[in-house]
Amino acid sequence: MELRYLTAFVAVAEELHFGRAAKRLQMAQPPLSQQIRQLEKELGVRLFERNTRSVRLTNAGESFLEPARTVLDDVDIAVGAARAAGRGERGRVTVGFAGASSHEALPVLTRAVRAAHPGLELVMRGQTYADVALAKVADGTLDLGFVRMPVNQPGVNTRVIEVEELICALPTDHRLAELDRVPIAELAEEPFVSFPSNAGSTLRDALVKACVAGGFTPRVVQEAPDSYTILALVAAGVGVTLTLTSCQHIQQTGLVYRPLAGEPTRLRAALAWREDNTNAALHTVLGIAETALPTPD
């Protein structure tokens, strides 16, 4: 059954006049009458009682009218949804995140997307560390990933959204907690708490590199999957850690943050996406992100 037959039927049923219905549909009356006859043939019932003076619905026509209107309304909704998706106003974007920077940036982005386009769905993939997120963006598993620069992955675009500094987190009763700045060499004999070594965490990598540059290899006594747990373990006296300035909003009893002495180590957080990703919803989210998460000066 063709949709144009339903459109013709509803027009005639509402006008109860073939001439007015044909004018409404911007077509000639003979083709309209032919469509109604074809519809009646397919249904095996008469939908209209008509003569030279009047047109009225039969019982079958009365019963058919509301369902026909519903079908046409549903088609309009489907067409609208498809067109909205094509404009990037509806659809789904998968986002991989983990670590401190995304804990601040992600809520900002999700609120901005929800306010601008409620029909857009962000599907969150947590515990996706920067290296893993980059790999998943590159292979198309993720639309968007929170990563850290530098990124040298062919076909992947990035935009920096935050510049963070490596700092030290200590128990409040630690011997170094009274210092304004902590020389990293002073941590050589300390137990460390950090992210798992095999999780693809760039913060773990930065911690190791900073310690090696300070003349020692860090002794990691406990690993945890997120900054909240790591810092809770530091507050409990399990060890110390190097974290990022973006984590300083995590305030726990027994925990202090101190800058590192010397030249600061900075890490750039970024959004990453495939250059050839044709998901219109992704490009809408990227546009929103440019305002919600602007590139810092």
Side-chain angles (χ1 to χ4, degrees):
M1 184 179 297
E2 297 186 33
L3 286 175
R4 62 193 178 113
Y5 294 168
L6 294 183
T7 301
F9 165 72
V10 170
V12 175
E14 291 177 349
E15 298 291 342
L16 291 179
H17 191 282
F18 276 79
R20 289 194 299 268
K23 184 176 181 180
R24 169 173 152 181
L25 297 174
Q26 297 182 326
M27 62 186 300
Q29 185 172 329
L32 175 61
S33 298
Q34 184 178 3
Q35 289 180 12
I36 296 298
R37 285 195 297 270
Q38 183 61 37
L39 178 61
E40 289 177 326
K41 181 178 179 181
E42 288 190 23
L43 293 173
V45 296
R46 290 179 61 84
L47 298 172
F48 297 99
E49 293 290 351
R50 47 195 181 271
N51 54 46
T52 56
R53 303 178 61 182
S54 68
V55 176
R56 66 180 183 83
L57 286 164
T58 63
N59 288 337
E62 291 279 3
S63 299
F64 190 59
L65 179 57
E66 283 309 314
R69 282 173 172 155
T70 299
V71 169
L72 293 176
D73 288 344
D74 288 345
V75 169
D76 286 342
I77 292 170
V79 169
R83 287 174 176 168
R87 295 190 299 268
E89 296 170 1
R90 295 178 65 91
R92 176 178 294 183
V93 177
T94 54
V95 182
F97 68 98
S101 58
S102 60
H103 286 174
E104 287 197 337
L106 189 61
V108 174
L109 179 61
T110 56
R111 284 195 295 268
V113 169
R114 189 164 54 246
H117 295 294
L120 279 176
E121 180 185 3
L122 297 182
V123 181
M124 306 303 180
R125 306 291 190 223
Q127 302 300 324
T128 308
Y129 297 97
D131 288 352
V132 177
L134 179 58
K136 288 183 176 293
V137 166
D139 69 17
T141 307
L142 291 175
D143 291 310
L144 187 65
F146 283 81
V147 302
R148 293 196 185 278
M149 302 297 286
V151 169
N152 299 306
Q153 180 72 46
V156 173
N157 288 341
T158 59
R159 184 176 66 81
V160 174
I161 58 172
E162 189 172 6
V163 178
E164 303 162 283
E165 187 175 319
L166 203 62
I167 59 174
C168 184
L170 304 160
T172 52
D173 58 356
H174 194 277
R175 62 184 178 84
L176 300 175
E178 296 181 359
L179 298 180
D180 292 333
R181 290 182 175 273
V182 175
I184 195 161
E186 291 292 325
L187 301 174
E189 302 302 321
E190 298 293 331
F192 277 79
V193 183
S194 188
F195 291 95
S197 60
N198 61 351
S201 167
T202 53
L203 180 51
R204 167 75 180 239
D205 293 342
L207 181 152
V208 172
K209 288 178 182 177
C211 292
V212 170
F216 68 97
T217 299
R219 180 168 56 92
V220 178
V221 298
Q222 189 156 343
E223 296 177 335
D226 59 78
S227 293
Y228 291 95
T229 305
I230 289 170
L231 294 169
L233 291 169
V234 171
V238 173
V240 302
T241 195
L242 299 185
T243 187
L244 295 165
T245 45
S246 59
C247 274
Q248 292 181 102
H249 70 282
I250 303 174
Q251 297 293 329
Q252 298 196 35
T253 302
L255 178 69
V256 294
Y257 300 100
R258 293 291 182 265
L260 293 171
E263 189 69 22
T265 298
R266 294 188 174 92
L267 283 77
R268 293 174 294 158
L271 295 176
W273 65 97
R274 274 182 68 105
E275 184 178 1
D276 61 358
N277 191 322
T278 58
N279 183 354
L282 166 65
H283 295 283
T284 297
V285 170
L286 290 172
I288 294 170
E290 288 184 3
T291 301
L293 301 172
T295 299
D297 296 332

